[in-house]
């Protein structure tokens, strides 16, 4: 299955992209997306450890099951205001 | 609407929240300040969740404090020195709860809303180290 991953804030700069498409095994969870990205760079890996994730307007856990066509949004520490 | 790519319009927000039974009006405005050479801040958000969280904070403020109105408006995109990045407007019958509710709203916004700021100086830019959302691994 294919999942779209949306990056925000410092994650965009570290990964060099705003979004990416990942080919994942059936039964994958959000944790598998994090695991895939861990290998990109040490700094991105460090930042990912502090990230939450969301699907649409809903925060989800890393055990969230993914399905084909889903968009998983990675949420680094926030700094509004 | 809680997010705007346009300059924040306090006059419009005051008109929207007008309430004859409120004798107290508290406005908090956050502006871009000159700090360590910062000239501009670019704000981005995960808008679907940010809008939802800001609406929740507005509702929470109204239920936790004796107030009649709470509205939050946050700017997105490039914001230059002195410009408003955020507005909180609270109206209440009396001032103690109006002050408390406005403080609550801006504090919760900074803890919970998926908005990010990238500070720009003349020579460089950097994303501000933020607050890890509750529920994210520590």
């Amino acid at each position: 299955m294919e999942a779209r991953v949306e990056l925000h804030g410092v994650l965009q700069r570290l990964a060099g992209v705003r979004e990416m498409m990942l080919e994942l095994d059936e039964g994958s969870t959000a944790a598998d997306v994090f695991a895939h990205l861990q290998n990109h760079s040490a700094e991105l890996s460090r930042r990912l450890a502090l990230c939450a994730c969301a699907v649409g307007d809903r925060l989800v856990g890393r055990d969230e099951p993914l399905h084909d066509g889903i968009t998983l949004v990675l949420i680094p520490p926030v700094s509004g205001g | 609407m809680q997010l705007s790519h346009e300059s924040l319009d306090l006059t419009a927000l005051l008109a929207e929240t007008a309430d004859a039974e409120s004798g107290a009006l508290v406005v908090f405005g956050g502006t871009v300040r000159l700090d360590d050479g910062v000239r501009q801040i670019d704000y981005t958000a995960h808008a679907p969740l940010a809008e939802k969280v800001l609406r929740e904070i507005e509702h929470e403020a109204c239920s936790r404090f004796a107030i009649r109105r709470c509205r939050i408006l946050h700017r997105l995109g490039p914001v230059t020195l002195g410009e408003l990045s955020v507005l909180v407007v609270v109206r209440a019958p009396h001032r103690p709860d109006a002050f408390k509710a406005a403080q609550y709203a801006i504090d919760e916004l900074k803890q919970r809303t998926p908005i990010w700021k990238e500070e720009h100086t003349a020579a460089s830019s950097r994303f501000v180290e933020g607050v890890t959302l509750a529920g994210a691994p520590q």
Side-chain angles (χ1 to χ4, degrees), chain B residues 28-95:
Chain B
F28 170 79
T31 60
V32 174
R33 66 191 166 100
L34 184 60
D35 178 30
D36 205 17
V38 171
R39 297 181 172 188
Q40 176 179 301
I41 296 178
D42 284 354
Y43 286 93
T44 55
H46 174 45
L49 181 58
E51 293 266 7
K52 178 183 160 188
V53 169
L54 293 176
R55 284 195 301 273
E56 288 173 351
I57 294 170
E58 290 172 351
H59 292 145
E60 289 166 13
C62 289
S63 63
R64 285 169 177 251
F65 304 96
I67 65 171
R68 292 178 54 82
R69 303 279 189 275
C70 178
R71 282 284 285 113
I72 303 169
L73 193 54
H74 202 294
R75 179 83 181 272
L76 295 181
V79 185
T80 55
L81 277 182
E83 276 194 290
L84 283 164
S85 59
V86 63
L87 277 174
V88 176
V89 172
V90 173
R91 291 186 186 269
H94 306 290
R95 69 182 183 280

